[in-house]
Short mmCIF file of all heavy atoms in Angstrom, two decimals:
data_model
loop_
_atom_site.label_atom_id
_atom_site.label_comp_id
_atom_site.label_asym_id
_atom_site.label_seq_id
_atom_site.Cartn_x
_atom_site.Cartn_y
_atom_site.Cartn_z
N PRO A 1 -164.48 35.98 -79.91
CA PRO A 1 -165.66 36.82 -80.11
C PRO A 1 -166.60 36.85 -78.90
O PRO A 1 -167.24 37.86 -78.62
CB PRO A 1 -166.36 36.21 -81.33
CG PRO A 1 -165.29 35.50 -82.06
CD PRO A 1 -164.32 35.03 -81.03
N ALA A 2 -166.67 35.76 -78.16
CA ALA A 2 -167.56 35.72 -76.99
C ALA A 2 -167.04 36.60 -75.86
O ALA A 2 -167.82 37.02 -75.00
CB ALA A 2 -167.71 34.28 -76.50
N ARG A 3 -165.76 36.90 -75.87
CA ARG A 3 -165.17 37.69 -74.78
C ARG A 3 -164.86 39.13 -75.19
O ARG A 3 -164.27 39.87 -74.41
CB ARG A 3 -163.90 37.01 -74.30
CG ARG A 3 -164.18 35.66 -73.69
CD ARG A 3 -162.93 35.08 -73.09
NE ARG A 3 -163.26 33.90 -72.32
CZ ARG A 3 -162.71 32.72 -72.51
NH1 ARG A 3 -161.79 32.56 -73.43
NH2 ARG A 3 -163.07 31.70 -71.76
N ALA A 4 -165.21 39.53 -76.38
CA ALA A 4 -164.89 40.87 -76.86
C ALA A 4 -165.55 41.96 -76.01
O ALA A 4 -164.93 42.98 -75.71
CB ALA A 4 -165.30 41.02 -78.32
N ALA A 5 -166.79 41.75 -75.61
CA ALA A 5 -167.49 42.76 -74.80
C ALA A 5 -166.83 42.91 -73.44
O ALA A 5 -166.67 44.04 -72.94
CB ALA A 5 -168.96 42.37 -74.64
N MET A 6 -166.40 41.81 -72.83
CA MET A 6 -165.74 41.88 -71.53
C MET A 6 -164.40 42.61 -71.63
O MET A 6 -164.06 43.41 -70.77
CB MET A 6 -165.52 40.46 -70.99
CG MET A 6 -165.07 40.36 -69.54
SD MET A 6 -163.34 40.72 -69.15
CE MET A 6 -162.45 39.77 -70.31
N VAL A 7 -163.67 42.36 -72.72
CA VAL A 7 -162.38 43.03 -72.90
C VAL A 7 -162.60 44.53 -73.13
O VAL A 7 -161.86 45.36 -72.61
CB VAL A 7 -161.60 42.39 -74.06
CG1 VAL A 7 -160.36 43.20 -74.40
CG2 VAL A 7 -161.21 40.96 -73.71
N THR A 8 -163.63 44.89 -73.86
CA THR A 8 -163.94 46.30 -74.10
C THR A 8 -164.29 47.00 -72.79
O THR A 8 -163.91 48.17 -72.58
CB THR A 8 -165.10 46.44 -75.10
OG1 THR A 8 -164.75 45.73 -76.29
CG2 THR A 8 -165.37 47.88 -75.44
N GLU A 9 -164.99 46.33 -71.89
CA GLU A 9 -165.33 46.92 -70.59
C GLU A 9 -164.08 47.18 -69.75
O GLU A 9 -164.07 48.07 -68.90
CB GLU A 9 -166.27 45.99 -69.83
CG GLU A 9 -167.66 45.90 -70.42
CD GLU A 9 -168.49 44.84 -69.72
OE1 GLU A 9 -167.99 44.20 -68.77
OE2 GLU A 9 -169.64 44.64 -70.14
N GLN A 10 -163.04 46.40 -69.96
CA GLN A 10 -161.80 46.54 -69.20
C GLN A 10 -160.81 47.51 -69.84
O GLN A 10 -159.64 47.56 -69.45
CB GLN A 10 -161.13 45.16 -69.06
CG GLN A 10 -161.93 44.16 -68.28
CD GLN A 10 -162.03 44.54 -66.81
OE1 GLN A 10 -161.08 45.04 -66.22
NE2 GLN A 10 -163.20 44.33 -66.22
N MET A 11 -161.25 48.32 -70.80
CA MET A 11 -160.35 49.23 -71.52
C MET A 11 -159.62 50.21 -70.60
O MET A 11 -158.43 50.47 -70.82
CB MET A 11 -161.12 49.98 -72.62
CG MET A 11 -160.19 50.66 -73.60
SD MET A 11 -158.96 49.58 -74.38
CE MET A 11 -159.99 48.50 -75.34
N PRO A 12 -160.24 50.79 -69.56
CA PRO A 12 -159.46 51.67 -68.67
C PRO A 12 -158.28 50.95 -68.01
O PRO A 12 -157.19 51.51 -67.89
CB PRO A 12 -160.48 52.13 -67.63
CG PRO A 12 -161.80 52.01 -68.31
CD PRO A 12 -161.67 50.83 -69.23
N ARG A 13 -158.48 49.72 -67.64
CA ARG A 13 -157.40 48.94 -67.04
C ARG A 13 -156.30 48.65 -68.07
O ARG A 13 -155.11 48.71 -67.78
CB ARG A 13 -157.96 47.63 -66.50
CG ARG A 13 -157.00 46.84 -65.69
CD ARG A 13 -157.71 45.67 -65.08
NE ARG A 13 -158.75 46.17 -64.18
CZ ARG A 13 -158.83 45.90 -62.90
NH1 ARG A 13 -157.96 45.09 -62.36
NH2 ARG A 13 -159.78 46.39 -62.16
N ILE A 14 -156.70 48.33 -69.30
CA ILE A 14 -155.75 48.08 -70.38
C ILE A 14 -154.92 49.32 -70.66
O ILE A 14 -153.69 49.27 -70.78
CB ILE A 14 -156.51 47.63 -71.66
CG1 ILE A 14 -157.14 46.26 -71.43
CG2 ILE A 14 -155.59 47.61 -72.86
CD1 ILE A 14 -158.11 45.84 -72.51
N LEU A 15 -155.59 50.47 -70.75
CA LEU A 15 -154.87 51.73 -71.01
C LEU A 15 -153.91 52.07 -69.88
O LEU A 15 -152.80 52.57 -70.12
CB LEU A 15 -155.87 52.87 -71.23
CG LEU A 15 -156.66 52.80 -72.53
CD1 LEU A 15 -157.75 53.86 -72.55
CD2 LEU A 15 -155.74 52.95 -73.72
N ASP A 16 -154.30 51.79 -68.65
CA ASP A 16 -153.43 52.06 -67.51
C ASP A 16 -152.17 51.20 -67.57
O ASP A 16 -151.06 51.71 -67.37
CB ASP A 16 -154.19 51.79 -66.21
CG ASP A 16 -153.30 52.01 -64.99
OD1 ASP A 16 -152.74 53.11 -64.86
OD2 ASP A 16 -153.17 51.07 -64.19
N VAL A 17 -152.32 49.93 -67.87
CA VAL A 17 -151.15 49.03 -67.93
C VAL A 17 -150.21 49.45 -69.06
O VAL A 17 -148.99 49.54 -68.87
CB VAL A 17 -151.62 47.57 -68.12
CG1 VAL A 17 -150.47 46.67 -68.49
CG2 VAL A 17 -152.29 47.09 -66.87
N LEU A 18 -150.76 49.72 -70.24
CA LEU A 18 -149.92 50.09 -71.37
C LEU A 18 -149.27 51.46 -71.17
O LEU A 18 -148.09 51.65 -71.49
CB LEU A 18 -150.74 50.08 -72.66
CG LEU A 18 -151.23 48.71 -73.12
CD1 LEU A 18 -152.09 48.85 -74.35
CD2 LEU A 18 -150.07 47.78 -73.36
N ASN A 19 -150.03 52.40 -70.63
CA ASN A 19 -149.49 53.74 -70.38
C ASN A 19 -148.35 53.68 -69.38
O ASN A 19 -147.31 54.32 -69.57
CB ASN A 19 -150.61 54.65 -69.88
CG ASN A 19 -150.38 56.09 -70.20
OD1 ASN A 19 -149.33 56.47 -70.67
ND2 ASN A 19 -151.39 56.90 -69.94
N SER A 20 -148.51 52.93 -68.31
CA SER A 20 -147.47 52.80 -67.29
C SER A 20 -146.21 52.16 -67.87
O SER A 20 -145.09 52.60 -67.60
CB SER A 20 -147.96 51.96 -66.12
OG SER A 20 -149.09 52.55 -65.53
N TYR A 21 -146.39 51.13 -68.66
CA TYR A 21 -145.23 50.44 -69.24
C TYR A 21 -144.50 51.34 -70.24
O TYR A 21 -143.27 51.44 -70.21
CB TYR A 21 -145.66 49.14 -69.91
CG TYR A 21 -144.51 48.44 -70.58
CD1 TYR A 21 -143.51 47.83 -69.84
CD2 TYR A 21 -144.41 48.41 -71.97
CE1 TYR A 21 -142.45 47.20 -70.44
CE2 TYR A 21 -143.35 47.78 -72.58
CZ TYR A 21 -142.37 47.18 -71.82
OH TYR A 21 -141.31 46.57 -72.44
N LEU A 22 -145.25 51.97 -71.14
CA LEU A 22 -144.61 52.80 -72.16
C LEU A 22 -143.93 54.03 -71.55
O LEU A 22 -142.90 54.48 -72.06
CB LEU A 22 -145.64 53.22 -73.21
CG LEU A 22 -146.17 52.09 -74.08
CD1 LEU A 22 -147.33 52.58 -74.94
CD2 LEU A 22 -145.07 51.49 -74.94
N HIS A 23 -144.49 54.56 -70.49
CA HIS A 23 -143.90 55.74 -69.85
C HIS A 23 -142.56 55.40 -69.18
O HIS A 23 -141.68 56.25 -69.07
CB HIS A 23 -144.86 56.33 -68.82
CG HIS A 23 -144.41 57.64 -68.27
ND1 HIS A 23 -144.37 58.77 -69.04
CD2 HIS A 23 -143.96 57.97 -67.04
CE1 HIS A 23 -143.92 59.77 -68.29
NE2 HIS A 23 -143.65 59.31 -67.07
N ALA A 24 -142.39 54.16 -68.74
CA ALA A 24 -141.16 53.76 -68.06
C ALA A 24 -140.01 53.47 -69.02
O ALA A 24 -138.87 53.29 -68.59
CB ALA A 24 -141.43 52.53 -67.21
N LEU A 25 -140.27 53.45 -70.31
CA LEU A 25 -139.23 53.14 -71.29
C LEU A 25 -138.29 54.32 -71.51
O LEU A 25 -138.68 55.47 -71.39
CB LEU A 25 -139.85 52.75 -72.63
CG LEU A 25 -140.66 51.47 -72.65
CD1 LEU A 25 -141.32 51.30 -74.01
CD2 LEU A 25 -139.78 50.28 -72.34
N GLU A 26 -137.05 53.99 -71.86
CA GLU A 26 -136.05 54.98 -72.23
C GLU A 26 -135.95 55.03 -73.75
O GLU A 26 -136.20 54.03 -74.42
CB GLU A 26 -134.69 54.59 -71.63
CG GLU A 26 -134.65 54.61 -70.12
CD GLU A 26 -134.77 56.02 -69.55
OE1 GLU A 26 -134.29 56.99 -70.20
OE2 GLU A 26 -135.37 56.16 -68.48
N PRO A 27 -135.57 56.18 -74.31
CA PRO A 27 -135.49 56.29 -75.78
C PRO A 27 -134.54 55.26 -76.42
O PRO A 27 -134.82 54.75 -77.49
CB PRO A 27 -134.99 57.71 -76.02
CG PRO A 27 -135.41 58.47 -74.81
CD PRO A 27 -135.35 57.49 -73.68
N HIS A 28 -133.43 54.95 -75.76
CA HIS A 28 -132.49 53.98 -76.35
C HIS A 28 -133.10 52.58 -76.43
O HIS A 28 -132.73 51.78 -77.29
CB HIS A 28 -131.17 53.96 -75.58
CG HIS A 28 -131.28 53.40 -74.19
ND1 HIS A 28 -131.23 52.06 -73.94
CD2 HIS A 28 -131.45 54.01 -72.99
CE1 HIS A 28 -131.34 51.86 -72.63
NE2 HIS A 28 -131.49 53.03 -72.03
N GLN A 29 -134.06 52.26 -75.55
CA GLN A 29 -134.72 50.96 -75.62
C GLN A 29 -135.63 50.86 -76.83
O GLN A 29 -135.86 49.77 -77.35
CB GLN A 29 -135.55 50.72 -74.35
CG GLN A 29 -134.72 50.55 -73.11
CD GLN A 29 -135.59 50.45 -71.86
OE1 GLN A 29 -136.50 51.25 -71.69
NE2 GLN A 29 -135.28 49.47 -71.02
N LEU A 30 -136.14 51.98 -77.29
CA LEU A 30 -137.03 52.00 -78.45
C LEU A 30 -136.26 51.98 -79.76
O LEU A 30 -136.82 51.64 -80.80
CB LEU A 30 -137.93 53.23 -78.39
CG LEU A 30 -138.83 53.34 -77.17
CD1 LEU A 30 -139.52 54.68 -77.14
CD2 LEU A 30 -139.83 52.21 -77.14
N GLU A 31 -134.99 52.38 -79.73
CA GLU A 31 -134.20 52.48 -80.95
C GLU A 31 -133.40 51.22 -81.26
O GLU A 31 -132.84 51.10 -82.33
CB GLU A 31 -133.26 53.68 -80.83
CG GLU A 31 -134.00 55.00 -80.73
CD GLU A 31 -133.11 56.16 -80.28
OE1 GLU A 31 -131.92 55.90 -79.99
OE2 GLU A 31 -133.61 57.28 -80.22
N GLU A 32 -133.33 50.28 -80.34
CA GLU A 32 -132.55 49.05 -80.54
C GLU A 32 -133.20 48.18 -81.61
O GLU A 32 -134.40 48.25 -81.85
CB GLU A 32 -132.47 48.25 -79.23
CG GLU A 32 -131.70 48.95 -78.14
CD GLU A 32 -131.79 48.21 -76.82
OE1 GLU A 32 -132.51 47.20 -76.73
OE2 GLU A 32 -131.15 48.67 -75.86
N ALA A 33 -132.35 47.36 -82.24
CA ALA A 33 -132.87 46.41 -83.24
C ALA A 33 -133.74 45.37 -82.52
O ALA A 33 -133.38 44.87 -81.47
CB ALA A 33 -131.71 45.73 -83.95
N GLY A 34 -134.88 45.08 -83.08
CA GLY A 34 -135.78 44.10 -82.48
C GLY A 34 -136.56 44.63 -81.30
O GLY A 34 -137.16 43.86 -80.56
N ALA A 35 -136.54 45.94 -81.10
CA ALA A 35 -137.21 46.52 -79.94
C ALA A 35 -138.73 46.32 -80.02
O ALA A 35 -139.36 46.03 -79.01
CB ALA A 35 -136.89 48.00 -79.83
N LEU A 36 -139.29 46.46 -81.20
CA LEU A 36 -140.74 46.37 -81.32
C LEU A 36 -141.25 44.97 -80.96
O LEU A 36 -142.26 44.84 -80.27
CB LEU A 36 -141.17 46.74 -82.74
CG LEU A 36 -142.66 46.97 -82.95
CD1 LEU A 36 -143.17 48.07 -82.04
CD2 LEU A 36 -142.94 47.31 -84.38
N ALA A 37 -140.54 43.94 -81.37
CA ALA A 37 -140.96 42.58 -81.04
C ALA A 37 -140.84 42.33 -79.53
O ALA A 37 -141.71 41.71 -78.92
CB ALA A 37 -140.11 41.56 -81.80
N ARG A 38 -139.77 42.82 -78.92
CA ARG A 38 -139.59 42.65 -77.47
C ARG A 38 -140.66 43.42 -76.70
O ARG A 38 -141.26 42.89 -75.75
CB ARG A 38 -138.20 43.12 -77.06
CG ARG A 38 -137.86 42.80 -75.62
CD ARG A 38 -136.49 43.31 -75.22
NE ARG A 38 -136.50 44.76 -75.09
CZ ARG A 38 -135.94 45.62 -75.94
NH1 ARG A 38 -135.30 45.18 -76.99
NH2 ARG A 38 -136.02 46.92 -75.75
N LEU A 39 -140.95 44.65 -77.11
CA LEU A 39 -141.97 45.46 -76.44
C LEU A 39 -143.35 44.82 -76.60
O LEU A 39 -144.15 44.82 -75.66
CB LEU A 39 -141.98 46.88 -77.01
CG LEU A 39 -140.72 47.70 -76.76
CD1 LEU A 39 -140.81 49.02 -77.50
CD2 LEU A 39 -140.51 47.93 -75.29
N ARG A 40 -143.62 44.31 -77.78
CA ARG A 40 -144.91 43.66 -78.02
C ARG A 40 -145.09 42.47 -77.08
O ARG A 40 -146.15 42.27 -76.50
CB ARG A 40 -144.98 43.20 -79.47
CG ARG A 40 -146.25 42.54 -79.85
CD ARG A 40 -146.19 42.14 -81.35
NE ARG A 40 -147.20 41.21 -81.64
CZ ARG A 40 -147.09 39.89 -81.50
NH1 ARG A 40 -145.97 39.37 -81.10
NH2 ARG A 40 -148.09 39.10 -81.79
N GLY A 41 -144.06 41.67 -76.93
CA GLY A 41 -144.12 40.52 -76.02
C GLY A 41 -144.34 40.95 -74.58
O GLY A 41 -145.11 40.33 -73.84
N GLN A 42 -143.64 42.01 -74.15
CA GLN A 42 -143.80 42.49 -72.78
C GLN A 42 -145.21 43.02 -72.53
O GLN A 42 -145.82 42.75 -71.49
CB GLN A 42 -142.77 43.60 -72.49
CG GLN A 42 -141.36 43.10 -72.36
CD GLN A 42 -141.18 42.31 -71.08
OE1 GLN A 42 -141.79 42.58 -70.06
NE2 GLN A 42 -140.32 41.31 -71.15
N MET A 43 -145.73 43.78 -73.50
CA MET A 43 -147.08 44.32 -73.34
C MET A 43 -148.14 43.22 -73.34
O MET A 43 -149.09 43.25 -72.55
CB MET A 43 -147.37 45.35 -74.43
CG MET A 43 -146.59 46.65 -74.24
SD MET A 43 -147.03 47.93 -75.42
CE MET A 43 -146.02 47.46 -76.80
N LEU A 44 -147.96 42.23 -74.21
CA LEU A 44 -148.92 41.12 -74.26
C LEU A 44 -148.89 40.34 -72.95
O LEU A 44 -149.94 39.95 -72.43
CB LEU A 44 -148.60 40.20 -75.44
CG LEU A 44 -149.53 39.02 -75.64
CD1 LEU A 44 -150.97 39.48 -75.87
CD2 LEU A 44 -149.05 38.17 -76.80
N ARG A 45 -147.73 40.13 -72.39
CA ARG A 45 -147.62 39.43 -71.11
C ARG A 45 -148.35 40.19 -70.01
O ARG A 45 -149.08 39.62 -69.21
CB ARG A 45 -146.15 39.24 -70.74
CG ARG A 45 -145.95 38.42 -69.47
CD ARG A 45 -144.48 38.22 -69.18
NE ARG A 45 -143.79 39.43 -68.85
CZ ARG A 45 -143.76 39.99 -67.64
NH1 ARG A 45 -144.41 39.42 -66.65
NH2 ARG A 45 -143.09 41.10 -67.42
N ARG A 46 -148.18 41.51 -69.98
CA ARG A 46 -148.85 42.33 -68.96
C ARG A 46 -150.37 42.32 -69.16
O ARG A 46 -151.13 42.28 -68.19
CB ARG A 46 -148.32 43.75 -69.01
CG ARG A 46 -146.94 43.88 -68.38
CD ARG A 46 -146.34 45.24 -68.65
NE ARG A 46 -145.16 45.50 -67.85
CZ ARG A 46 -143.97 44.94 -68.04
NH1 ARG A 46 -143.81 44.07 -69.00
NH2 ARG A 46 -142.95 45.22 -67.26
#
């Protein structure tokens, strides 16, 4: 809760990272079993 305001200020940077990552994906990567868990981990790491 103490860092929520700082994270909200960084929203343009967050959107840029997520947009770049999601745009680089191929459709077959999204259709694989367990894809959502793998993508979530990759996005959280970034």
Side-chain angles (χ1 to χ4, degrees):
R3 296 186 170 125
M6 190 283 311
V7 172
T8 304
E9 291 173 1
Q10 296 292 322
M11 194 55 66
R13 188 173 298 238
I14 293 169
L15 290 172
D16 178 55
V17 168
L18 293 177
N19 207 352
S20 300
Y21 177 71
L22 292 172
H23 188 69
L25 295 175
E26 295 292 327
H28 67 85
Q29 292 174 314
L30 300 172
E31 296 166 357
E32 295 173 356
L36 192 58
R38 188 182 72 253
L39 295 174
R40 181 179 164 273
Q42 288 289 327
M43 288 185 277
L44 181 60
R45 185 178 66 83
R46 284 170 168 73

